[in-house]
Amino acid sequence: MTIERPKTKVEAFDYTKYADDRQFVIALARGLELLRSFKQGEEYLGVTELAKRTNLPKPTVSRLAGTLSKLGYLEFSAEIGKYRLGPGVLALGYGKLSNFDVRQVARPMMQELAAYSLASVSIAIRDRLSMVYVESVRSNVSITMNMGVGARLSLSTSAIGRAYLVGIAEAERNFLMDQIRAGDEENWPRIKHGIEQAMRDYEEYGFCISIGDWNKNIHGVGVPFIAPDGTTMAFNCGGTTPPLLTEERIKSDIGPRLIKLVKRVETIMGCGM
């Protein structure tokens, strides 16, 4: 059995705050937002859906998609009248991933922890109000999370997102929490409580946890990581609810092992030196 991830809300970009910025090209921003509309597991999207996700008029979307197709970032299927991502996007993504030396250093240790925990071990960076996996390994058990590189998790309710929040400066954390609140006022009290508890957990244990907060079927533990170039990332170990990852096992066993993994990576990469 595979545990699927919850749907990630599409975050529409607010162009208005850059209206007077001479260094901001709105047409370029709109084109990039169009590419961001494609989520993991989706192959083709039509103009109507793209317009809905970007809050742009359909004629504008048609022109942008046509241009991106000519540049190789989108591909158009005349048979179904929809677009999919092209190889140009893959080239950009690979260029970014190839700069993450931490992936090569950490992967053998991640595989070891995944096999021991019977769960998944991943590294993620922040993209707006989401965490995006840049590396992920899974155990070979039949019950695991079906999430790989490029998967997105909630910044505020996942263990890896909370680990990121505790790993950044207070000013940046407060800014992001304001953004989270603005995007979900209804659930903000619960979300805020979870983040504040994560900060207390980090002070006490050295890691953050999420016990069914992001997905009721998933428990996870996260640890922040600061790369040698100053980039903040986070590691996590996550899996299904009992019997694999109980809260007790996370706190007494898996969490401490994840801390050791991150410290080993830091030592190898010379972080903080």
Side-chain angles (χ1 to χ4, degrees):
M1 181 177 70
T2 297
I3 302 298
E4 298 290 345
R5 67 192 185 281
K7 295 293 185 181
T8 301
K9 182 180 179 180
V10 177
E11 302 167 24
F13 187 77
D14 181 12
Y15 302 97
T16 59
K17 58 184 178 181
Y18 295 105
D20 299 323
D21 188 344
R22 296 177 63 85
Q23 298 299 313
F24 188 84
V25 181
I26 291 180
L28 175 59
R30 286 174 170 172
L32 294 174
E33 286 300 294
L34 204 66
L35 296 178
R36 292 172 62 96
S37 297
F38 291 83
K39 303 305 177 185
Q40 188 176 24
E42 296 177 332
E43 184 172 11
Y44 284 100
L45 291 177
V47 170
T48 299
E49 181 61 25
L50 288 169
K52 178 181 177 181
R53 296 189 181 191
T54 57
N55 291 329
L56 295 173
K58 287 198 287 187
T60 300
V61 170
S62 294
R63 291 194 298 272
L64 290 171
T67 301
L68 291 168
S69 295
K70 290 180 174 64
L71 295 173
Y73 295 109
L74 287 180
E75 294 180 341
F76 180 70
S77 170
E79 183 178 349
I80 61 176
K82 294 183 178 182
Y83 293 89
R84 68 178 179 181
L85 294 176
V89 174
L90 180 62
L92 290 176
Y94 181 77
K96 178 64 175 177
L97 286 176
S98 65
N99 290 327
F100 285 131
D101 293 337
V102 63
R103 297 167 63 240
Q104 286 72 40
V105 171
R107 187 171 180 82
M109 292 175 265
M110 294 168 65
Q111 290 173 326
E112 181 180 344
L113 180 57
Y116 173 82
S117 64
L118 302 180
S120 300
V121 182
S122 307
I123 310 172
I125 58 174
R126 181 178 68 85
D127 178 44
R128 298 186 182 176
L129 299 182
S130 298
M131 296 297 291
V132 180
Y133 281 170
V134 296
E135 184 63 287
S136 185
V137 298
R138 285 179 273 176
S139 69
N140 57 7
V141 297
S142 59
I143 302 177
T144 188
M145 292 189 295
N146 184 27
M147 302 181 67
V149 173
R152 306 174 76 90
L153 291 80
S154 165
L155 175 64
S156 59
T157 59
S158 68
I160 203 166
R162 290 170 175 174
Y164 177 90
L165 288 171
V166 304
I168 58 179
E170 182 179 5
E172 183 181 357
R173 181 168 56 249
N174 290 339
F175 171 79
L176 289 173
M177 289 180 70
D178 286 342
Q179 297 294 306
I180 294 167
R181 178 176 185 172
D184 196 352
E185 286 279 1
E186 180 180 353
N187 294 309
W188 173 242
R190 176 181 58 82
I191 293 171
K192 181 183 178 183
H193 174 76
I195 295 172
E196 291 175 342
Q197 181 61 53
M199 296 176 68
R200 291 190 291 269
D201 287 341
Y202 184 69
E203 290 179 2
E204 181 175 357
Y205 305 112
F207 51 76
C208 304
I209 64 175
S210 175
I211 306 299
D213 299 325
W214 173 65
N215 181 311
K216 66 179 182 179
N217 296 314
I218 295 174
H219 291 179
V221 55
V223 175
F225 171 77
I226 311 298
D229 66 357
T231 301
T232 300
M233 307 179 191
F235 284 74
N236 80 341
C237 180
T240 56
T241 50
L244 297 183
L245 281 185
T246 63
E247 182 174 357
E248 179 182 357
R249 187 185 181 212
I250 285 175
K251 288 183 176 179
S252 65
D253 185 16
I254 304 302
R257 287 176 181 271
L258 186 62
I259 292 175
K260 290 180 181 179
L261 184 157
V262 173
K263 289 187 179 299
R264 288 170 62 191
V265 174
E266 290 174 341
T267 299
I268 293 172
M269 299 190 69
C271 299
M273 296 183 178

